[in-house]
Amino acid sequence: MERLLVVSSSPHIHSPLDTQKIMGWVLAALAPAGLAGIYFFGLRAAAVMAVCVISCVAFEYIWDKCAKKAVAIDDLSAAVTGLLLAYNLPPTIPFWMAVLGSLFAIIVVKQLFGGLGCNIVNPALAGRAMMLTSWPVPMTTWSIDGVSGATPLALIKAGTLENLPSLQNIFIGRVGGCIGETSALALLIGFAILLYKDIIKWQTPVIYVAVVAILCTLFGRPVGPLYEVLTGGLFLGAIFMATDYTTSPITLRGQMIFAAGCGLLTALIRTWGGYPEGVSYSILIMNLTVPLIDRATKPRIFGEVKKHV
């Protein structure tokens, strides 16, 4: 008689998406920003992307081999880390620095904590933070059309508002900055792809950006909220890094609290911090609060009896 019932362990409902497919769609969503970076910064930007991606994949492969683990580079997570790290670097960064940043992101931040799904902070942002601390001058040297200059946020911090680029240039990406952060248009296209494929929810990016816009206005920043949210790495961080599955809360309510915290810290750093941008450090700090947020927002078990004090 044919078996009509198969009893197995959970999960009993499977998503058609696996890690490889999710990471593949993230790479696809990142592609418009990469193309914009190559268009505005030239082939040097493409070379930095290639160096970071190849380095991250190679370091993950070497680690897996040395640790006698199954090689997992085909899940594409290392490639995503490498591309995100490249997007957070200036196009003029020396290649050897990009390699060391990739080493730190993959080995120290990801693999030493157990690999994919076990890291406590975003590897790409941690790699960028390490590089910014180690090599502050190369990490803050910007150029556009072959001319070196300050980023819009640096000009705002310095009070030289007369030299600020137009909103149109900021929106399309014709400004100095990191490779993948300057074009808000390209990042919004990537946001639409991720929403369409249900890879992320809209709440985290929208709340993050909205809190930054509101608080920077309340804190008396000298530019309008639209200019504030289009400059710097806010869209890149809010769309692609604050939504990272591993380092963000599990519940939707927790993700909203996380996003609001990122927005608050970003606005505080931009307004009173010594660094003109605050996205990277804000997300890294909030990554460390995720266990507490998860504990505070976990749903009540069905049938659980409330404890009476």
Side-chain angles (χ1 to χ4, degrees), residues 283-295:
I283 296 175
L284 288 171
I285 292 170
M286 289 303 298
N287 285 161
L288 301 177
T289 70
V290 168
L292 295 176
I293 295 175
D294 280 338
R295 180 180 298 180

Side-chain angles (χ1 to χ4, degrees), residues 88 125 128 153 208 212 231-238 241 262 265-266 269-270 275 277-284:
N88 280 277
L125 286 181
R128 180 183 191 273
L153 286 177
Y208 189 170
V212 170
T231 54
L234 182 57
F235 276 17
L236 178 62
M241 287 173 284
C262 289
L265 290 173
T266 299
I269 294 172
R270 284 188 176 187
Y275 186 56
E277 177 63 284
V279 171
S280 297
Y281 291 114
S282 299
I283 296 175
L284 288 171

Side-chain angles (χ1 to χ4, degrees), residues 69-268:
K69 296 167 53 180
V71 175
I73 58 174
D74 58 348
D75 65 12
L76 302 180
S77 63
V80 170
T81 297
L83 195 57
L84 284 174
L85 176 60
Y87 281 13
N88 280 277
L89 302 179
T92 54
I93 195 76
F95 293 143
W96 66 269
M97 292 184 186
V99 172
L100 291 181
S102 302
L103 172 67
F104 185 85
I106 293 296
I107 302 299
V108 177
V109 183
K110 182 180 179 182
Q111 295 297 347
L112 288 182
F113 282 89
L116 181 64
C118 299
N119 49 285
I120 61 174
V121 296
N122 186 282
L125 286 181
R128 180 183 191 273
M130 181 279 291
M131 295 177 68
L132 186 61
T133 303
S134 303
W135 308 293
V137 174
M139 285 291 291
T140 54
T141 301
W142 320 102
S143 65
I144 182 72
D145 296 329
V147 179
S148 297
T151 64
L153 286 177
L155 292 172
I156 294 171
K157 178 68 75 173
T160 54
L161 304 183
E162 64 277 5
N163 296 326
L164 287 176
S166 66
L167 274 174
Q168 179 182 354
N169 282 337
I170 286 179
F171 183 68
I172 64 173
R174 192 180 292 279
V175 292
C178 295
I179 292 171
E181 72 178 17
T182 58
S183 177
L185 173 61
L187 292 167
L188 287 173
I189 293 172
F191 182 39
I193 293 173
L194 294 180
L195 288 179
Y196 175 73
K197 298 304 297 183
D198 199 27
I199 304 295
I200 66 173
K201 304 297 182 185
W202 62 267
Q203 284 87 347
T204 296
V206 171
I207 291 174
Y208 189 170
V209 171
V211 169
V212 170
I214 293 170
L215 291 183
C216 284
T217 302
L218 293 178
F219 292 163
R221 295 272 288 175
V223 295
L226 182 59
Y227 202 99
E228 194 73 59
V229 301
L230 292 178
T231 54
L234 182 57
F235 276 17
L236 178 62
I239 295 168
F240 291 99
M241 287 173 284
T243 57
D244 175 46
Y245 290 173
T246 303
T247 57
S248 61
I250 297 173
T251 65
L252 181 58
R253 186 158 62 100
Q255 292 166 11
M256 294 167 69
I257 295 171
F258 178 85
C262 289
L264 171 62
L265 290 173
T266 299
L268 289 173

